[in-house]
Amino acid sequence: MPALTPRFDQFQDRHLGPDAGETADMLATINASSMAELMDQTVPANIRDHKDLDVAPAISEYYYLQHLKGIAKRNKVMRSFIGMGYYNTVTPSVILRNVFCNPGWYTQYTPYQAEIAQGRLESLLNYQTMVSDLTAMPVANASLLDEGTAAAEAMSMFFSVRNKRVKGEPVSVFLVSDLVLPQTIAVLETRAEPLGIKIEVGPVSEFDFSGGRVFGMLLQYPGANGQVEDYRELVAEAEKAEVFTIVAADLLALTLLTPPGEWGASAVVGNTQRFGVPMGFGGPHAAYFATTDKYKRQIPGRIIGVSQDRHGDYALRMALQTREQHIRREKATSNICTAQALLANMAGFYAAYHGAEGLIAIAKRTHHFTVMLANALTQGGFTLGADHYFDTLHVEASPEKVAEVRSRAETEGYNFFYPEEGGIRLSFDESVATSDLFAVCRIFGVELDYQGAELDPLGGIQGVNDQLPTSLIRTSDFLTHPNFKDHRTETKMMRYLKRLENKDLSLVHSMIPLGSCTMKLNAATQLIPVSWSEFADIHPFAPIEQAQGYKLIFSELEKDLAEICGFTACSLQPNSGASGEYAGLMVIRAYHRDRGDEHRDVAIIPESAHGTNPASAVMAGMRVVVVKSDEAGNIDIEDLKEKVAEHKDKLAALMITYPSTYGVFETGVVEICETVHAAGGMVYMDGANMNAQVGLTSPGRIGADVCHLNLHKTFAIPHGGGGPGMGPICCNEALAPFLPGHPLQETGGLKATKAVSAAPWGSASILLISYAYIKMLGAKGLKAASEYAILNANYIAKRIENHYDVLFQGEQGRSAHELIIDLRPFKSVMSAGDLAKRLIDYGFHAPTLSWPVAGTVMIEPTESEGKEELDRFCDALIAIRAEADAIARGEADAEDNVLKNAPHTIAEVTADEWTHAYSREQAAYPLAYLRQGLKFWPSVGRVDDGYGDRNFVCTCPPMEAYSE
């Protein structure tokens, strides 16, 4: 750590919104004499922590970057030809600077408010079109977490589909090719066991579909050893036996190979990392999932679809939103909530920048370099594992030869993959250079006769022949839409990116007050190092000796997160909040099984819980029992005790959120946890609302045993328009032995459960963001962040209390870090949706709609917003209430009014004809601040959700649609 000479510019002062004067004014407004008094009134005394957190003192932004540069030097960036699903890639600078490093892209939220999200919706539609075209599948979603979980989602989906009407024992066998990536197999095994799915791994030549016992199979295309195989006959045989075929495919290879959709695949999954997204020691990257139209309502995650707005103009939205699986709670087949939207955007733009011709050229060049190496190796006496390959070679070698080659390779700065079964495996990529080719040949001790050559018309190397099966050469076109043709120069791409960005409201414009989402500042200093080569360009399966900088960061971050949670251990592997929920429950499951309590399979969950909670419980093999909430929004303790007594012999866990999803610190939480423990159960705490706890109390203090943390909420990882996120879990000593492990890196507990993510430390590179957040705030700053989050929420509650009813406040009339306002009294004139759309006209994103209570909105301002912004938001809410009152009094038309017609576009407001019963001024500039540079214009009018679902289109439409 640098010398801690004090500086005037501490990060805490940059991160917290209100200054000292504003703080005093706000405390006076809410009738609190001090911040300490407000905390006493808000957080129950029996769970308060009054000692400082044991984390390092805060350091300034400048000193932090110097500190991190020292740590970065401990990472050794080698030339990585490990492959195994992760590759070097060249991120176009125009995308790196204008998307990856641009808060206009990375501070957006999931595009639930379509009217102010048309830019990223178009980008994600491009992504879906890219995936659909390359796989030849008609439906693709807008990304998943990683290839391993995408394959597991497909397995679970088809298990559910196959057994929907099966009576008696389910069809439960899932066949997995032994050429599937080992990290994928590990995730499949984790997901399969609680669901009763039997995984059988072996050569495809031994697959047996007889007896009606098999519901699906997974193939890797090309295989992990590089082999490219024609699976048409196998897939046809599977189809006759009612067996679903899932293919994990390399998208770059599909530019040259016949896509799985043309030879009968039921679903195609994989990773888009090599399309311009750095390896980042494991992530984040956007996985893809494509299937047939038949399963569009079962597909996990989100789908972007085409619709129209109220003017009949082209507009995009998230299609089939009720299909988002976790909304179905315990009936869900998936708990997916967040995705990898920012990285999907990058991959889609990469495809748009290169186009079909560019991708083919990259693939050809990569393949031909691989062919030249293969020729040199075979001529030098080595035997290869496959005759047909794309970018990967498996070289047969004795253990002695492997050791010799490995020593030479590491001396020269190269990493290859060394499978447990023996031999050497290496994969080329778009970054490969002639110098690499000569170096690899030198490492293997073979000669290369190559004097250089020109490129052929497709981008390959003249004089080098393809080594792909002639029966599998791709003949179909792809990426034919103009969006993949019109942006090939940097000028055109730069302007395209800016046009899309300008359509979307993000934190660069105004606060995003979404309850339970914690849209706080994502500071530039926290994000800058993510793109440093020392962190971005390390393969997740590189020897840990080469990643000592990462290892140190992981160790310190695990310690700090465990301390913040009041626990002793931490796993950084889960790469989303929902993944963290699942991991926490799997740890509890393993704990009970280790004690011989396999029968404990009941999870008690409050009726107010987020939909991912029951979905995760079901995925972990648990039966969900719902406990009631009382009128104050607390868990009904008497009902809980009855449910615990009824299921005490089978109770596995209670899942709670704290503060509750109603935004209240429940005073009975200790009693609740003790009741569950007395019956032999464990307590899982959902960390969605951790932003109100840090430094004030902790999951361990309230009596929980394990919790997950949304680092993309409390610990400042940006939401990215719908991902990335991270969901590490922290736990006590009893559960620590069962933290998840990984087949390719040493991690997890002494009795580790199997992997929950494809990479050992999840999306490792963005852990830097949360690491920075903690280092620059320190113990006092972390506590202050929670205090100001609570102050800001209570200030809003006070400012609007004479205009809206605030529901579910604590015993002393205080909200936690968020609040719910009731719109049901206005339902005859204004719905929650009307308020959401009208807020756009006032320059704000809507709060969370109709959750956890229908007909309400939930507001979370976070600690990063100052009084001036909070006042603007409150003024907007108050003005909207006045607009609703005008309708109720008959002063405004019941149908043609500013609420029903919101939001108003600039095209509508500036049109020659204006037929509304209210003025243009009322529509566009209802408050004076909007004329001070704070107006945000939506690019479309209110989107017609029903039209989009009735006319389902999830790929880029013809260009005429854009101009209609």
Side-chain angles (χ1 to χ4, degrees):
M1 216 34 112
L4 296 176
T5 304
R7 288 178 59 94
F8 74 93
D9 55 341
Q10 291 299 304
F11 178 68
Q12 175 177 331
D13 299 327
R14 308 294 191 184
H15 178 75
L16 300 177
D19 61 24
E22 290 178 332
T23 301
D25 289 345
M26 293 165 69
L27 287 169
T29 298
I30 65 173
N31 300 317
S33 62
S34 65
M35 189 72 83
E37 182 184 49
L38 175 60
M39 296 306 107
D40 289 341
Q41 293 171 348
T42 306
V43 184
N46 65 331
I47 61 166
R48 277 292 298 276
D49 277 332
H50 292 284
K51 66 178 182 64
D52 287 343
L53 291 168
D54 183 16
V55 300
I59 56 174
S60 71
E61 295 178 66
Y62 172 78
Y63 281 148
Y64 170 74
L65 289 176
Q66 303 311 306
H67 163 68
L68 197 64
K69 285 176 182 176
I71 293 178
K73 291 177 181 177
R74 303 188 187 193
N75 288 334
K76 190 173 182 180
V77 181
M78 307 271 275
R79 287 293 284 143
S80 173
F81 293 137
I82 295 173
M84 301 299 290
Y86 303 92
Y87 306 87
N88 301 297
T89 185
V90 179
T91 308
S93 297
V94 66
I95 297 172
L96 178 67
R97 185 171 182 83
N98 292 289
V99 180
F100 191 62
C101 298
N102 182 351
W105 281 96
Y106 63 68
T107 68
Q108 303 164 349
Y109 188 66
T110 305
Y112 286 108
Q113 296 300 321
E115 296 81 4
I116 48 175
Q118 291 295 298
R120 63 188 179 280
L121 287 168
E122 180 173 330
S123 173
L124 291 171
L125 191 68
N126 289 345
Y127 171 86
Q128 290 177 184
T129 303
M130 172 192 80
V131 170
S132 183
D133 281 8
L134 287 170
T135 61
M137 302 296 282
V139 178
N141 73 7
S143 80
L144 291 176
L145 299 173
D146 57 41
E147 182 169 327
T149 54
E153 292 289 345
M155 174 186 72
S156 300
M157 183 182 88
F158 287 122
F159 177 64
S160 176
V161 170
R162 179 66 178 83
N163 289 289
K164 190 172 184 179
R165 292 181 176 84
V166 170
K167 296 180 180 179
E169 288 296 312
V171 181
S172 60
V173 173
F174 187 68
L175 304 178
V176 179
S177 165
D178 58 358
L179 298 183
V180 168
L181 299 173
Q183 67 269 26
T184 299
I185 294 175
V187 175
L188 287 170
E189 291 173 339
T190 302
R191 291 286 192 93
E193 188 270 333
L195 299 177
I197 297 173
K198 301 177 181 67
I199 300 283
E200 295 183 6
V201 180
V204 295
S205 59
E206 299 178 7
F207 280 11
D208 179 7
F209 304 131
S210 64
R213 66 191 191 96
V214 179
F215 73 89
M217 67 174 175
L218 176 64
L219 309 172
Q220 192 85 39
Y221 183 68
N225 67 348
Q227 179 175 326
V228 177
E229 191 169 342
D230 192 333
Y231 292 116
R232 287 185 178 95
E233 291 185 7
L234 179 70
V235 172
E237 184 183 347
E239 186 175 4
K240 290 179 183 177
E242 298 184 71
V243 172
F244 295 104
T245 297
I246 304 165
V247 181
D250 183 323
L251 286 187
L252 189 63
L254 296 188
T255 64
L256 305 182
L257 295 173
T258 303
E262 294 180 9
W263 41 265
S266 310
V268 188
V269 300
N271 193 356
T272 64
Q273 177 268 319
R274 70 190 310 173
F275 278 26
V277 182
M279 290 183 288
F281 205 45
H285 313 127
Y288 72 85
F289 189 118
T291 187
T292 66
D293 189 70
K294 184 176 180 180
Y295 305 113
K296 67 187 179 188
R297 291 189 179 274
Q298 285 78 35
I299 189 171
R302 305 183 180 103
I303 301 175
I304 309 307
V306 176
S307 188
Q308 64 182 26
D309 70 4
R310 69 179 179 87
H311 308 293
D313 293 330
Y314 173 87
L316 301 172
R317 59 180 282 273
M318 291 201 298
L320 308 174
Q321 285 186 21
T322 56
R323 176 227 22 93
E324 193 170 68
Q325 279 293 314
H326 73 80
I327 295 172
R328 302 178 64 221
R329 297 178 69 83
E330 64 270 19
K331 296 181 180 179
T333 57
S334 168
N335 69 346
I336 290 293
C337 183
T338 194
Q340 303 281 25
L342 181 67
L343 301 314
N345 288 332
M346 290 179 66
F349 288 135
Y350 177 94
Y353 197 46
H354 289 296
E357 299 87 351
L359 294 182
I360 290 171
I362 291 169
K364 277 280 189 181
R365 183 180 183 278
T366 301
H367 177 57
H368 284 180
F369 265 90
T370 309
V371 172
M372 287 193 289
L373 175 61
N375 291 340
L377 289 171
T378 54
Q379 290 168 13
F382 286 94
T383 300
L384 302 182
D387 295 327
H388 299 294
Y389 48 83
F390 168 58
D391 63 357
T392 298
L393 301 176
H394 182 88
V395 185
E396 304 290 349
S398 67
E400 295 76 18
K401 191 64 177 179
V402 170
E404 176 189 333
V405 168
R406 183 168 190 166
S407 177
R408 287 183 191 165
E410 292 181 359
T411 298
E412 292 217 24
Y414 284 81
N415 282 332
F416 306 145
F417 185 70
Y418 306 95
E420 283 188 2
E421 61 268 26
I424 304 164
R425 199 171 290 168
L426 68 161
S427 301
F428 280 166
D429 52 61
E430 69 167 315
S431 75
V432 67
T434 305
S435 58
D436 294 317
L437 186 60
F438 278 101
V440 173
C441 289
R442 186 168 59 249
I443 290 165
F444 277 91
V446 299
E447 296 293 324
L448 176 67
D449 183 19
Y450 179 61
Q451 306 300 320
E454 296 295 321
L455 298 181
D456 64 31
L458 293 180
I461 300 171
Q462 288 186 1
V464 179
N465 297 319
D466 290 351
Q467 288 298 314
L468 304 172
T470 55
S471 64
L472 289 175
I473 300 300
R474 181 164 191 150
T475 59
S476 56
D477 293 333
F478 58 91
L479 304 187
T480 57
H481 190 273
N483 279 0
F484 298 98
K485 296 174 179 288
D486 292 347
H487 314 295
R488 302 290 181 81
T489 70
E490 181 164 340
T491 299
K492 290 181 178 179
M493 176 56 76
M494 175 182 66
R495 290 172 180 165
Y496 181 53
L497 296 176
K498 182 54 68 173
R499 283 199 305 274
L500 296 186
E501 178 194 342
N502 287 344
K503 294 180 179 182
D504 291 9
L505 187 145
S506 66
L507 285 177
V508 307
H509 300 102
S510 58
M511 67 183 284
I512 299 179
L514 285 154
S516 195
C517 298
T518 317
M519 299 293 291
K520 64 171 63 179
L521 170 71
N522 313 121
T525 298
Q526 296 163 359
L527 276 82
I528 286 172
V530 176
S531 59
W532 291 355
S533 178
E534 295 92 337
F535 296 114
D537 296 331
I538 298 184
H539 194 287
F541 306 149
I544 195 63
E545 295 78 21
Q546 298 171 15
Q548 290 301 296
Y550 263 121
K551 186 177 181 181
L552 176 62
I553 288 168
F554 295 159
S555 175
E556 292 186 7
L557 184 58
E558 287 171 353
K559 173 186 172 296
D560 286 346
L561 293 178
E563 165 68 13
I564 287 166
C565 291
F567 289 136
T568 56
C570 177
S571 169
L572 300 173
Q573 189 176 123
N575 54 2
S576 76
S579 177
E581 291 179 20
Y582 178 73
L585 291 173
M586 289 299 288
V587 165
I588 290 174
R589 176 184 173 89
Y591 165 83
H592 287 308
R593 288 176 165 257
D594 186 64
R595 292 160 56 90
D597 290 338
E598 292 88 349
H599 57 281
R600 289 191 174 272
D601 65 350
V602 169
I604 296 178
I605 302 176
E607 62 184 1
S608 61
H610 192 274
T612 55
N613 285 185
S616 296
V618 170
M619 288 171 57
M622 297 182 184
R623 294 180 294 128
V624 174
V625 172
V626 178
V627 63
K628 298 175 184 176
S629 298
D630 62 23
E631 292 182 359
N634 302 313
I635 290 176
D636 186 325
I637 294 180
E638 292 307 312
D639 187 51
L640 173 73
K641 289 180 177 179
E642 290 177 10
K643 298 289 172 56
V644 168
E646 181 182 352
H647 300 283
K648 64 179 181 179
D649 295 332
K650 295 186 176 181
L651 180 61
L654 168 71
M655 298 184 77
I656 59 170
T657 302
Y658 201 75
S660 74
T661 51
Y662 294 126
V664 175
F665 279 99
E666 298 184 43
T667 57
V669 67
V670 173
E671 181 184 0
I672 288 168
C673 293
E674 289 174 348
T675 299
V676 172
H677 287 148
M682 304 296 275
V683 177
Y684 162 88
M685 196 206 83
D686 185 318
N689 292 343
M690 194 70 193
N691 208 45
Q693 281 199 51
V694 180
L696 299 174
T697 185
S698 68
R701 182 65 183 263
I702 70 171
D705 300 288
V706 59
C707 74
H708 90 270
L709 299 170
N710 290 319
L711 298 189
H712 49 289
K713 296 182 181 181
T714 308
F715 296 94
I717 290 176
H719 283 71
M726 279 291 281
I729 58 172
C730 297
C731 66
N732 57 24
E733 291 180 356
L735 297 180
F738 308 101
L739 291 174
H742 195 275
L744 297 174
Q745 292 279 20
E746 185 176 340
T747 185
L750 296 175
K751 300 178 180 180
T753 51
K754 291 188 176 181
V756 295
S757 302
W761 293 278
S763 297
S765 66
I766 58 173
L767 291 172
L768 295 169
I769 300 167
S770 299
Y771 178 78
Y773 178 83
I774 294 171
K775 293 299 181 187
M776 293 193 297
L777 281 177
K780 292 182 180 178
L782 290 168
K783 179 181 178 182
S786 296
E787 291 173 337
Y788 275 89
I790 292 170
L791 171 63
N792 284 358
N794 281 279
Y795 178 72
I796 290 177
K798 189 66 176 179
R799 278 239 30 217
I800 65 173
E801 67 178 359
N802 294 327
H803 307 276
Y804 298 93
D805 291 333
V806 178
L807 304 179
F808 310 119
Q809 293 180 303
E811 288 187 355
Q812 297 191 53
R814 297 301 188 190
S815 299
H817 65 308
E818 60 191 5
L819 62 145
I820 296 173
I821 62 173
D822 194 357
L823 301 180
R824 291 171 295 187
F826 315 113
K827 64 181 180 181
S828 63
V829 294
M830 176 180 69
S831 67
D834 291 335
L835 180 136
K837 303 310 178 187
R838 183 56 174 157
L839 273 171
I840 295 171
D841 287 330
Y842 285 84
F844 287 103
H845 193 290
T848 298
L849 295 185
S850 291
W851 186 83
V853 180
T856 68
V857 294
M858 182 162 58
I859 301 165
E860 182 183 358
T862 86
E863 71 275 15
S864 300
E865 301 299 340
K867 180 176 180 294
E868 186 178 18
E869 183 76 352
L870 299 179
D871 282 335
R872 275 193 292 266
F873 179 68
C874 292
D875 290 345
L877 288 177
I878 293 167
I880 291 172
R881 166 63 198 270
E883 292 169 347
D885 288 344
I887 299 169
R889 291 193 300 265
E891 297 169 8
D893 190 271
E895 297 300 325
D896 184 23
N897 60 63
V898 290
L899 299 180
K900 298 298 182 185
N901 293 330
H904 298 83
T905 65
I906 195 168
E908 180 181 14
V909 173
T910 60
D912 291 339
E913 185 177 10
W914 181 262
T915 60
H916 296 304
Y918 51 92
S919 70
R920 298 173 197 255
E921 178 86 10
Q922 285 177 287
Y925 294 101
L927 289 177
Y929 73 77
L930 292 164
R931 292 193 177 278
Q932 299 168 7
L934 298 174
K935 178 66 181 176
F936 185 89
W937 291 101
S939 58
V940 298
R942 191 177 302 200
V943 175
D944 186 337
D945 293 335
Y947 179 90
D949 285 348
R950 292 190 302 273
N951 303 274
F952 182 66
V953 177
C954 64
T955 55
C956 293
M959 283 306 292
E960 308 85 73
Y962 293 89
S963 57
E964 286 178 357

